[in-house]
Amino acid sequence: MRITTLLPVALLLSACSITNPADARAQGLSRLGEQLFSDPRLSADGITSCASCHDPLRAFTDGRKISVGAFGRPSTRNAPSLLDLEDMESFFWDGRLDDLHETLLQPFTAPNELANPSIDHVVQVVKDIPSYRRDFQKVLNGRSLDERALTDAIAAYLENLDRGTNRYELAQEGGSALSAEEKRGLALFEGKAQCAACHTPGTTALTDNQFHHAGIGFERASGRIKSLVERIDDAQRSRSQLGNLILEDEEVAELGRFVTTRKAADIGGFRTPALRNVANTAPYMHDGSVPTLEEAVDRELYYRGIASGRPIALTVDEQRQLLAFLHSLSLE
């Protein structure tokens, strides 16, 4: 499956006679963002890029259980899709940042991601590449080529991706794109299966932007909360250091939302993931520990039943219908 991204800016410029300089600059900035996103020269090992973990051909995921950064260093997190960033109220599986630009900076210096010594080093690398220097000069309108310019460009690219329209969205617009089985699955999704309690219908990404428990991986941190909090306190001096700790320390990573809020109820809580292309973004959960969509649904039904105080028992036919609906959320 191929996920379509932006049309090349050069093609747009030739097909439409753009006379507004601001529009041309915005398109140029987005094109630069796409180049930066896929450029391995912006990593410490020269072979890793943002696209290594967020592959446009894989719905901006990587198909791995956990992402692998520069020099083959594994992280603690499954790489989520980036197709619905504009619908996110906070970022990362634990929601520790709510500013997109700050979020985009962190991977450049995280040892388990692009592993650069500093963001100033990255800016200098970009400045030393003549094509970047020339093209940024055209779009920055007198501004300096600095870290904000880099994140402006990458944000412009990611926020303007052509995500395509899946059959569920076509049906929401009044079409008849869903099969009878998929419609029954949608009814289960919104009703008996209780999926809609967290995956909010009517929203593009089908997420409530909240943090929930699915019993994943917490045994790694169980009984060690006090010592883990001490590690977090040591890293709390800066958000980047905290982010690095989460990507390096499996036990701290399993604390989830608690790392940000320090509320006991948030221990082991993780973001409700978006469901666009869900059938094509395995493996699942924050640590990639659930390999198939069928297993992910079974686990979610079990823990949703615990949360509501009533077990959710679907028949074999109902499970098939629910999965059929979930497949309608993907571009095929």
Side-chain angles (χ1 to χ4, degrees):
M1 180 201 69
R2 182 179 181 84
I3 301 295
T4 304
T5 60
L6 290 175
L7 289 172
V9 171
L11 178 60
L12 288 171
L13 289 172
S14 63
C16 316
S17 100
I18 295 174
T19 58
N20 187 332
D23 289 345
R25 282 196 296 270
Q27 292 178 1
L29 191 66
S30 178
R31 177 179 59 81
L32 279 167
E34 183 173 9
Q35 292 173 350
L36 294 168
F37 191 82
S38 299
D39 195 337
R41 292 174 293 182
L42 307 188
S43 66
D45 66 356
I47 60 174
T48 307
S49 70
C50 302
S52 298
C53 296
H54 300 285
D55 184 349
L57 301 183
R58 289 180 173 269
F60 287 81
T61 65
D62 61 9
R64 297 187 182 103
K65 180 178 177 181
I66 52 175
S67 59
V68 176
F71 307 108
R73 295 169 182 159
S75 73
T76 60
R77 289 280 192 260
N78 177 261
S81 175
L82 302 181
L83 286 174
D84 292 286
L85 285 184
E86 71 273 22
D87 297 321
M88 299 295 119
E89 296 175 2
S90 60
F91 303 99
F92 300 115
W93 279 99
D94 48 34
R96 63 183 180 272
L97 291 178
D98 56 14
D99 180 83
L100 178 59
H101 293 274
E102 189 176 354
T103 300
L104 293 174
L105 284 176
Q106 287 208 1
F108 283 110
T109 57
N112 296 55
E113 295 184 286
L114 301 183
N116 289 289
S118 69
I119 192 62
D120 289 340
H121 169 80
V122 179
V123 171
Q124 191 59 52
V125 169
V126 173
K127 286 181 176 179
D128 288 342
I129 298 173
S131 61
Y132 278 139
R133 190 168 62 246
R134 180 187 64 248
D135 291 345
F136 266 110
Q137 186 176 13
K138 292 178 182 177
V139 302
L140 289 179
N141 200 24
R143 285 175 48 203
S144 299
L145 203 179
D146 55 14
E147 64 183 54
R148 181 68 187 209
L150 299 186
T151 59
D152 278 347
I154 297 172
Y157 166 56
L158 294 176
E159 290 179 332
N160 288 282
L161 294 171
D162 180 359
R163 302 175 301 184
T165 304
N166 58 43
R167 287 182 290 111
Y168 168 69
E169 290 168 326
L170 291 172
Q172 293 292 98
E173 295 169 1
S176 56
L178 296 180
S179 69
E181 185 171 59
E182 290 165 346
K183 289 178 181 177
R184 288 191 286 271
L186 172 57
L188 289 165
F189 183 91
E190 295 179 336
K192 180 179 179 180
Q194 300 181 31
C195 307
C198 300
H199 296 283
T200 310
T203 61
T204 303
L206 288 172
T207 175
D208 61 1
N209 275 300
Q210 298 301 309
F211 302 85
H212 302 281
H213 302 79
I216 298 289
F218 183 65
E219 64 277 1
R220 298 189 190 112
S222 181
R224 297 174 52 80
I225 303 300
K226 182 179 179 180
S227 64
L228 296 180
V229 167
E230 291 174 355
R231 293 185 214 171
I232 295 168
D233 287 339
D234 288 340
Q236 199 76 54
R237 293 186 299 273
S238 77
R239 286 180 171 181
S240 62
Q241 289 177 345
L242 178 59
N244 293 348
L245 177 66
I246 291 168
L247 289 178
E248 294 172 344
D249 190 315
E250 289 186 349
E251 293 179 334
V252 170
E254 295 305 340
L255 296 180
R257 182 65 172 162
F258 171 81
V259 173
T260 298
T261 66
R262 301 297 183 90
K263 295 178 180 178
D266 288 332
I267 294 174
F270 293 91
R271 166 190 306 289
T272 303
L275 293 185
R276 181 186 299 278
N277 290 299
V278 65
N280 300 315
T281 57
Y284 303 97
M285 308 301 173
H286 67 279
D287 59 356
S289 59
V290 178
T292 69
L293 185 58
E294 290 81 359
E295 290 174 84
V297 168
D298 285 344
R299 177 170 284 273
E300 291 293 336
L301 290 174
Y302 175 75
Y303 279 95
R304 175 52 47 193
I306 290 177
S308 66
R310 291 184 298 176
I312 300 172
L314 299 187
T315 67
V316 172
D317 284 344
E318 288 173 332
Q319 289 177 353
R320 186 184 67 252
Q321 292 159 5
L322 179 58
L323 285 166
F325 166 67
L326 292 175
H327 277 269
S328 79
L329 303 175
S330 299
L331 300 179
E332 299 172 351

